[in-house]
Amino acid sequence: MPGSSLSASTKDTATSKPTSKKRKLDETRKRYYAVRVGRKPGVYDTYNKCFAQVDKFPGAKHKSFFSLEDAEAFVAGKDPIPADNDKKPPAFYAVGIGHKPGVYMTWPDAQAAFAGKKNPKYKRFGTYADAEAYVRQYNNQLTTAGAVAAEAASEDEDERAPKKAKTSAPVATSTGGSASVVAYTDGSALGNGRAGARSGVGVFFGPGDPRNISEPLQGETQTNQRAELTAILRCLEAIPPHQGAEIRTDSRYSIDCVTNWYIGWERNGYKTNGKDVKNQDLVKAIRQKLEEREKLGVRTQFTWVKGHSGDPGNEAADLLAVQGSRQPR
């Protein structure tokens, strides 16, 4: 889809406002993304899900609508007459400097990410890649100045249900350096916990990034937790040890394993309650990578993100993991 940007009258300042009530209304309305020709035709609730079906697909046809009925009609081969607003491509709102830098799909979400921030920086783009590049431009400057916060996670291993959180929670495993690379990791398990389960690994650096990973989980034990940990390990293998990194995952279990629980496990010979710690091979491998980076003074930050909440990077990693679980081992 063609790109677009904020109008010339819109500045990168806290005083910027939508140019009209009509635009503000358009940006808060729900869109439906219809795929007529693609890997899996249908109606999708986010542009990223739609894009996954048409990216590099020969002769792909897709379109966005404000009406579910029109979207379904388009998929069925009909061509409903769109309202003027329907002709607009999807928008990606990049917040480079704000309370929560990142890429947002709606203007209200973007506004909330910088409202009240002194000298915020934000801009509208027509593609996710352009928006992400804009965010990284400012985030690199911020992290170099030491603006990335770090806090230790502390949950019991047996707590399977994560605590509710409204925002992403950053934690770090080392000090020094700066988070210059951002990657999302995820694991998927079809039939998790049952015989014949198939798991996949997903690592997302960005749209079209050659470092992206989508592969099946190797080994006899096919679980979601092993897939999540393997994704982190594969991510660390893809990033040079001298380069700072931020790994974003929706697995609190994985973060706690490699930033908190491992301390007690090492002290007890990787035993807990008299039993061997599960997935200790992966935990040890990840810790080895992290310690190599620590010796170089490089920072490796882990950030928990809420899964299936519309975060484009998390959704992309999830899609890669699901695709990996369907590949032959």
Side-chain angles (χ1 to χ4, degrees):
M1 291 187 180
S4 62
S5 61
L6 289 173
S7 64
S9 61
T10 305
K11 301 179 181 179
D12 284 343
T13 67
T15 58
S16 297
K17 297 180 179 179
T19 56
S20 67
K21 292 182 179 179
K22 182 178 180 181
R23 173 180 290 182
K24 185 175 182 180
L25 177 62
D26 290 347
E27 292 168 343
T28 57
R29 291 176 62 188
K30 177 176 177 59
R31 286 181 179 271
Y32 299 89
Y33 300 93
V35 176
R36 177 185 291 178
V37 179
R39 294 180 179 84
K40 187 177 179 181
V43 179
Y44 297 86
D45 59 355
T46 70
Y47 177 70
N48 284 341
K49 293 178 181 178
C50 166
F51 182 75
Q53 306 305 321
V54 300
D55 183 31
K56 299 180 182 179
F57 190 94
K61 292 184 180 180
H62 59 104
K63 200 170 186 179
S64 68
F65 298 88
F66 287 118
S67 163
L68 176 60
E69 291 74 15
D70 287 347
E72 291 175 338
F74 180 82
V75 174
K78 301 176 183 179
D79 291 305
I81 300 176
D84 290 340
N85 293 337
D86 287 342
K87 298 178 182 179
K88 296 179 181 179
F92 300 87
Y93 301 93
V95 178
I97 297 180
H99 300 296
K100 303 172 187 174
V103 179
Y104 297 85
M105 302 297 290
T106 68
W107 174 243
D109 287 342
Q111 282 184 309
F114 67 77
K117 180 73 173 180
K118 184 178 180 180
N119 299 323
K121 298 292 183 181
Y122 56 93
K123 195 172 183 181
R124 175 183 175 181
F125 294 91
T127 68
Y128 176 80
D130 289 342
E132 184 183 48
Y134 179 88
V135 173
R136 286 184 175 179
Q137 169 190 345
Y138 289 102
N139 272 342
N140 285 343
Q141 295 174 8
L142 287 173
T143 53
T144 299
V148 176
E151 61 184 48
S154 57
E155 291 186 57
D156 293 336
E157 180 190 2
D158 292 333
E159 185 176 1
R160 294 293 175 248
K163 296 179 180 179
K164 293 183 179 180
K166 294 182 179 179
T167 59
S168 300
V171 296
T173 62
S174 61
T175 58
S178 62
S180 57
V181 176
V182 176
Y184 289 81
T185 66
D186 205 357
S188 174
L190 302 178
N192 187 41
R194 299 194 298 269
R198 299 181 62 86
S199 299
V201 173
V203 181
F204 180 70
F205 285 92
D209 195 305
R211 296 171 295 178
N212 291 345
I213 297 171
S214 177
E215 62 188 28
L217 177 67
Q218 300 300 317
E220 294 298 323
T221 305
Q222 296 284 307
T223 66
N224 187 64
Q225 290 180 343
R226 286 193 66 81
E228 296 273 12
L229 286 168
T230 299
I232 291 176
L233 178 59
R234 296 286 286 116
C235 180
L236 289 170
E237 291 173 344
I239 301 174
H242 62 270
Q243 190 171 25
E246 178 187 357
I247 299 176
R248 300 178 181 177
T249 173
D250 59 16
S251 173
R252 285 188 182 275
Y253 166 81
S254 295
I255 293 177
D256 279 336
C257 279
V258 301
T259 66
N260 185 26
W261 296 337
Y262 82 94
I263 298 174
W265 291 340
E266 287 184 346
R267 184 170 56 245
N268 298 323
Y270 273 87
K271 297 279 187 178
T272 179
N273 298 322
K275 298 180 180 179
D276 290 336
V277 172
K278 293 181 178 180
N279 307 318
Q280 60 177 275
D281 57 325
L282 293 172
V283 175
K284 291 176 180 177
I286 293 171
R287 283 306 310 169
Q288 182 177 354
K289 291 289 184 183
L290 295 176
E291 287 164 12
E292 289 175 358
R293 300 168 68 80
E294 287 174 2
K295 290 179 181 178
L296 295 174
V298 176
R299 185 189 189 99
T300 307
Q301 175 179 315
F302 288 90
T303 301
W304 177 81
V305 295
K306 186 176 181 180
H308 307 292
S309 61
D311 185 307
N314 176 256
E315 290 189 359
D318 176 67
L319 178 62
L320 290 171
V322 171
Q323 291 175 340
S325 68
R326 294 170 178 165
Q327 297 175 23
R329 292 201 300 272

